[in-house]
Amino acid sequence: DVKVTQSSRYLVKRTGEKVFLECVQDMDHENMFWYRQDPGLGLRLIYFSYDVKMKEKGDIPEGYSVSREKKERFSLILESASTNQTSMYLCASSLRLAGWNRLDTQYFGPGTRLTVL
Amino acid sequence: TQLLEQSPQFLSIQEGENLTVYCNSSSVFSSLQWYRQEPGEGPVLLVTVVTGGEVKKLKRLTFQFGDARKDSSLHITAAQPGDTGLYLCAGADTGNQFYFGTGTSLTVIP
């Protein structure tokens, strides 16, 4: 079974702090994703990575950065946390990116609920 | 811009009832998926549909992809408390972009 783990289930930080969210997958997947989930808005893509050291902006990258130094690990960084970044953060991985006429299965971690005070 | 709108946003029903959840867009999608997210967990894939008009069944769940590939529905027969969760559709458009829908939160009351 694919396993995607996230470093924390709950995190409380103060405005202005630098925050690191870590994600690890154990299935040698090429692609990894970071989403934030807010009620009524579904999942919104922040960044994704299709290879080590490669990254692409998603729909809402402002205020975030990412790092992928190893294939199995994808980190989301909030350089200076703000209250509007309070949310549930979900990491996912997939074998392949969506290609023409296909959607690959994404495997999700359990999520990190981040509260910024 | 939210390309995939789901309705209803919230649904609370009694055990044994039937229900339908909708996923609609003004855009054409090359394929579409449905995920279920249980409380405290990440979403898990239920099904992928790729052909307009396609119908797939998974036990008591029936998934349909619209003929025009702009919409999809999920029908649950005789709902059970274990069906409780957030149902998300996700679609890949013809430009290889993919999007998640707004979600439908289902509660099945025993």
Side-chain angles (χ1 to χ4, degrees), chain B:
Chain B
T1 302
Q2 184 56 257
L3 293 186
L4 284 169
E5 295 287 341
Q6 290 185 238
S7 61
Q9 185 176 355
F10 298 98
L11 190 55
S12 181
I13 63 170
Q14 294 289 331
E15 182 176 359
E17 292 183 355
N18 301 333
L19 66 114
T20 302
V21 174
Y22 300 93
C23 174
N24 294 300
S25 174
S26 56
S27 302
V28 174
F29 284 86
S30 58
S31 59
L32 196 136
Q33 293 176 324
W34 284 93
Y35 286 78
R36 178 170 65 209
Q37 183 178 18
E38 297 182 8
E41 301 297 329
V44 175
L45 179 69
L46 295 173
V47 76
T48 301
V49 286
V50 297
T51 305
E54 182 176 1
V55 177
K56 279 192 174 179
K57 291 193 175 184
L58 187 66
K59 296 183 180 178
R60 294 177 294 100
L61 279 59
T62 302
F63 304 86
Q64 184 162 9
F65 199 12
D67 290 340
R69 309 166 78 96
K70 292 183 177 181
D71 56 85
S72 180
S73 63
L74 158 60
H75 182 78
I76 301 179
T77 303
Q80 298 177 1
D83 296 326
T84 292
L86 179 69
Y87 288 81
L88 292 157
C89 62
D93 68 17
T94 52
N96 285 354
Q97 297 296 310
F98 63 93
Y99 308 92
F100 277 86
T102 49
T104 293
S105 178
L106 171 66
T107 302
V108 181
I109 303 165

Side-chain angles (χ1 to χ4, degrees), chain A residues 37-116:
Chain A
Q37 182 174 30
D38 301 288
L41 297 178
L43 271 63
R44 292 180 292 166
L45 182 64
I46 304 171
Y47 270 96
F48 69 95
S49 169
Y50 53 89
D51 200 354
V52 174
K53 296 190 185 294
M54 306 303 287
K55 61 185 179 185
E56 291 284 344
K57 292 180 180 179
D59 300 319
I60 51 165
E62 296 79 19
Y64 304 94
S65 62
V66 290
S67 172
R68 194 168 180 199
E69 297 296 319
K70 294 185 178 181
K71 191 175 185 180
E72 68 270 19
R73 189 179 298 269
F74 193 34
S75 302
L76 180 69
I77 303 153
L78 288 67
E79 294 289 342
S80 178
S82 63
T83 54
N84 63 12
Q85 291 178 310
T86 291
S87 187
M88 171 69 84
Y89 289 88
L90 288 165
C91 174
S93 71
S94 74
L95 190 59
R96 293 174 294 273
L97 268 178
W100 186 84
N101 203 33
R102 67 170 299 128
L103 264 176
D104 206 0
T105 303
Q106 292 191 39
Y107 297 88
F108 286 85
T112 295
R113 184 164 294 282
L114 173 67
T115 301
V116 182

Side-chain angles (χ1 to χ4, degrees), chain A residues 7-24:
Chain A
S7 51
S8 304
R9 295 297 293 262
Y10 299 93
L11 209 53
V12 180
K13 295 292 181 180
R14 297 220 172 260
T15 301
E17 282 192 77
K18 190 168 186 176
V19 181
F20 292 87
L21 302 182
E22 301 282 334
C23 175
V24 177

